[in-house]
Amino acid sequence: MIKKLQKELKELNTKRRKLSKFLAKQNKKTLSANQLQLLKEQKQAMAKYAKVLKLRIKDLKEAK
């Protein structure tokens, strides 16, 4: 279970990095203000999800 969660976290972090790089390159000409805002919200949700995964991994390790 821990390995599965670690893999999921690794994949999520890769996607977060790619999204961050994408957002850093964007301007108002390439994306609408609404799309830009939605992508920022998506990034925040991904960060929260990563935090929960880390807590789950920690909890499972401590339960051993």
Side-chain angles (χ1 to χ4, degrees):
M1 179 69 140
I2 292 174
K3 288 188 181 198
K4 181 180 176 186
L5 291 174
Q6 288 172 329
K7 180 182 177 194
E8 186 174 349
L9 179 59
K10 183 179 177 184
E11 291 171 356
L12 178 62
N13 284 333
T14 299
K15 290 177 183 180
R16 285 174 59 203
R17 279 190 297 277
K18 288 180 181 180
L19 179 56
S20 290
K21 287 180 183 179
F22 177 78
L23 287 172
K25 294 178 183 178
Q26 298 309 302
N27 59 42
K28 291 179 183 177
K29 293 178 184 176
T30 55
L31 284 177
S32 70
N34 190 48
Q35 282 295 313
L36 192 57
Q37 181 60 37
L38 290 170
L39 284 171
K40 288 177 181 179
E41 288 182 32
Q42 179 177 330
K43 183 180 165 191
Q44 290 175 343
M46 291 168 85
K48 187 171 183 177
Y49 182 33
K51 182 178 178 180
V52 171
L53 285 174
K54 287 177 191 176
L55 290 171
R56 289 185 63 206
I57 291 167
K58 181 181 176 186
D59 183 64
L60 288 170
K61 285 182 177 180
E62 291 173 354
K64 282 188 171 183

